[in-house]
Amino acid sequence: MFGVGVFLASGRHRAASRCASQAWARWRLVASSGGPSGWDAVSSNPSSASAVGIAGAPTRVFATNARTSESTAARRDAIASAGVLGAFPPQRPTDGAVELDTALRARESRALPRELLTDTHGRHHSYLRISLTEKCNLRCLYCMPEDGIDLTANDQLMTTDEVVRVAKLFVAAGVNKIRLTGGEPTVRRDLEDIVRRLAALEGLNTIAVTTNGLTLHRRLGALRDAGLTHVNISLDTLVPAKFELLTRRAGHDRVMRSIRAAVDLGYDPVKVNVVLMRGVNDDEILDFVALTRDAPVNVRFIEYMPFDGNKWETNKVVSYAEARATIERAHPSLRRATLPGEDARSEVGKNFKIDAHEGAVSFVTSMTHNFCGGCNRLRVMADGNLKVCLFGEAETSLRDAMRAGSDDAALMDTVSAAVKRKAAAHAGMHDLKHMKNRSMIKIGG
C-alpha cells in the first residue's frame, strides 16, 4: 500500500510539474529582467531594507488575552504551589497588545510555483528552518562535541540581507512557517530586526524561534512586538545542579524565567523541548509533565539522536513507547490530540492531552517512529548550506550561489534541484550512528 501511495503521489507531482512549467518559465523571464517591483533583490543597504520591511508589513492585530485576571492569578498560585515554575513576575499588560493575526496573513501572493519546493515523492515543503549562528552560550553534551567545534569564519556566514533574500524566495514558493535557530539565535544582536523583516513577507504565517532561553526573558517583549509568533525553549532538566552538568554552564533560573515570561506575554503554547537520555533525565519525565498542568506549556520529549561528537549509543535512547508508558501509568487519561495550528499530516510531534491539564505533551520520535512520509521541512544552515534532510549528508551552498551573482531564478533552480534529490526516508538509527553528519550546533536545532 505504501508503494502504491508513493507511486500515485509521484504521478500527481509529475503532472503538476508539467502544468507549472510554463508559469515557472514566465517567472524566470521576469526575474532575469529585474523582476516586478515587489520582487527586487534585497537592498544592500541594511537601514533602507529595514525601513522597507517595517513599512511593508501588513497590519495585524493579536487577539486580546481571554484569560481573566482571576484565572491568571489562580493559575500562577497553582504553579507556584507546585514548586515547578515558581512565582510569576508581575503581569505585563496584554489587553490590546499588537500581535500577529494569522487570518490577516492569509492574503498570500505567491510569485513562484509550489512545485519548486515539492520533491519527487509528492511532499511540498512549507516549513523552513534557518540557523542564524553557530555560536552558543551553553555547551550541551548532546549538541556540542566535548572538544568544541571550529567556528566558520564570519565572512563565510550568511549576512542578514542574504538570510532575508533566501526567506523571501522560499515564502514565494509556498513556505508559510520559518523557524530561527542556531547555535543560539539570541546571541545575534540584530535578531529583532531579522524578525521584523521576515514579518513583512506576505504569506508567512508563523515566525518561530528555538532558543536555550538563557537571555530570552530580556528580549521577548521586543521580539513579540517585531512579529515573533511562537517560542520553543530547550530545557533538559528541572534540577539546577544537573543543568550545569549537562550544559557546562550556570543559568537554570534564567531559563525558567524565560518560560514564565513567555507564558505571561500570552504565548500559547510555550513549547519546552526535552531531549530524553537514559540515566540522565529519564527520571524527570513526570516532573516535566507537571509543567503542563496549570499553564499553556507543551512539553516535547525528543528521542536522543546521533550527531557528530555527541557519543550517541542505542542504550541511551528513551523510546517514545517507554516515555509514553511512564506517563500513562501516572495519567491514564493521556490521549492523542491535534493541537491548534498543527497539521496532523506533517506534525513533528505525536501530540497528547491529559484531563485537567491546560498544556499538552508531545513526543518527537525520529529514532523509533520516523515521520519522513509527511516531512515538509528544509534547513538552511548559518553558512548558507541547504540541507533537505536533517540526517542526510547532502548539502547545497546557497551562499556561494548568491555571491557568485546568481539571480533569484537561478538561485531557486539550485534549491529546487536539491529538493528533487531528497530521499523518501532517512536511514534507521543503527545506520545513522555510522553516517557522517555535522554536530547539531552547526546544523541548527
Side-chain angles (χ1 to χ4, degrees):
M1 180 63 72
F2 175 78
V4 172
V6 170
F7 174 77
L8 291 175
S10 300
R12 286 195 300 270
H13 165 65
R14 286 194 294 271
S17 296
R18 287 193 297 272
C19 294
S21 61
Q22 290 181 336
W24 174 227
R26 285 196 297 272
W27 185 85
R28 283 182 53 83
L29 179 62
V30 173
S32 63
S33 62
S37 58
W39 280 95
D40 292 336
V42 176
S43 169
S44 59
N45 183 335
S47 59
S48 66
S50 298
V52 171
I54 298 169
T59 304
R60 296 166 295 168
V61 180
F62 261 134
T64 56
N65 191 338
R67 299 189 181 95
T68 63
S69 57
E70 291 80 5
S71 63
T72 301
R75 187 174 72 256
R76 291 176 180 173
D77 291 343
I79 296 172
S81 66
V84 180
L85 284 180
F88 274 78
Q91 183 180 12
R92 306 180 190 186
T94 56
D95 288 345
V98 176
E99 248 189 5
L100 304 175
D101 182 358
T102 315
L104 293 179
R105 301 279 310 193
R107 299 173 292 119
E108 300 184 11
S109 177
R110 294 191 182 120
L112 302 181
R114 286 169 51 92
E115 284 68 30
L116 288 171
L117 298 183
T118 303
D119 65 21
T120 58
H121 309 287
R123 298 172 298 196
H124 176 68
H125 296 77
S126 59
Y127 178 5
L128 177 64
R129 302 173 71 104
I130 303 176
S131 176
L132 298 178
T133 180
E134 295 174 351
K135 295 179 180 178
C136 187
N137 43 14
L138 295 179
R139 297 291 182 270
C140 298
L141 296 175
Y142 61 82
C143 183
M144 173 83 76
E146 190 172 1
D147 53 355
I149 61 168
D150 295 324
L151 293 172
T152 303
N154 285 338
D155 63 356
Q156 296 300 304
L157 299 176
M158 282 197 299
T159 66
T160 300
D161 284 347
E162 287 170 337
V163 168
V164 175
R165 181 185 176 192
V166 166
K168 183 176 183 179
L169 289 170
F170 275 74
V171 170
V175 162
N176 56 32
K177 176 178 180 178
I178 290 180
R179 179 174 299 281
L180 302 175
T181 69
E184 171 50 42
T186 61
V187 305
R188 287 282 297 252
R189 295 180 180 180
D190 62 345
L191 181 58
E192 290 85 353
D193 182 54
I194 292 172
V195 170
R196 188 176 295 111
R197 292 174 68 179
L198 294 181
L201 301 179
E202 191 172 8
L204 182 60
N205 299 331
T206 299
I207 305 172
V209 67
T210 295
T211 168
N212 61 32
L214 208 60
T215 64
L216 181 68
H217 58 278
R218 298 203 298 259
R219 302 176 68 176
L220 189 53
L223 286 166
R224 185 193 64 169
D225 292 343
L228 188 71
T229 63
H230 292 73
V231 174
N232 285 47
I233 298 173
S234 299
L235 178 66
D236 298 320
T237 180
L238 296 171
V239 181
K242 193 187 295 185
F243 178 89
E244 293 191 29
L245 290 174
L246 288 173
T247 67
R248 307 182 184 113
R249 296 290 187 274
H252 182 270
D253 59 324
R254 286 180 280 168
V255 180
M256 298 303 293
R257 194 183 312 165
S258 291
I259 296 174
R260 293 195 297 269
V263 171
D264 200 41
L265 281 170
Y267 282 97
D268 184 357
V270 177
K271 294 185 177 182
V272 176
N273 294 340
V274 184
V275 177
L276 285 178
M277 294 164 279
R278 189 176 308 282
V280 176
N281 61 355
D282 53 329
D283 60 334
E284 297 185 62
I285 291 175
L286 295 180
D287 295 330
F288 274 106
V289 171
L291 290 178
T292 73
R293 183 181 299 119
D294 301 296
V297 172
N298 176 202
V299 172
R300 295 157 57 82
F301 294 111
I302 302 173
E303 291 179 339
Y304 187 34
M305 295 176 276
F307 294 101
D308 185 45
N310 73 351
K311 299 181 179 179
W312 183 91
E313 296 292 342
T314 305
N315 59 10
K316 294 180 182 178
V317 176
V318 179
S319 71
Y320 152 60
E322 182 179 348
R324 177 180 173 178
T326 297
I327 298 171
E328 281 182 318
R329 284 193 292 272
H331 301 283
S333 66
L334 183 75
R335 64 192 183 280
R336 283 297 295 265
T338 299
L339 303 184
E342 298 282 349
D343 185 346
R345 295 168 299 178
S346 58
E347 63 182 6
V348 173
K350 292 175 173 58
N351 303 311
F352 290 77
K353 294 284 290 183
I354 298 172
D355 287 351
H357 282 233
E358 184 175 356
V361 173
S362 301
F363 303 89
V364 179
T365 62
S366 302
M367 295 295 94
T368 61
H369 293 80
N370 76 56
F371 34 86
C372 301
C375 182
N376 67 340
R377 293 164 296 284
L378 300 170
R379 296 171 182 263
V380 176
M381 294 176 284
D383 63 2
N385 276 18
L386 171 65
K387 197 173 180 71
V388 297
C389 175
L390 174 61
F391 297 109
E393 298 180 33
E395 298 179 3
T396 302
S397 179
L398 305 185
R399 176 205 65 203
D400 289 352
M402 288 187 285
R403 295 182 185 180
S406 291
D407 62 15
D408 290 346
L411 188 61
M412 288 308 292
D413 274 342
T414 300
V415 169
S416 188
V419 171
K420 297 296 187 286
R421 293 192 294 268
K422 184 170 180 175
H426 65 67
M429 67 176 178
H430 299 290
D431 295 322
L432 287 173
K433 177 183 177 180
H434 304 290
M435 293 173 63
K436 185 176 178 58
N437 202 354
R438 298 199 196 197
S439 59
M440 194 63 202
I441 194 169
K442 283 211 165 189
I443 295 173

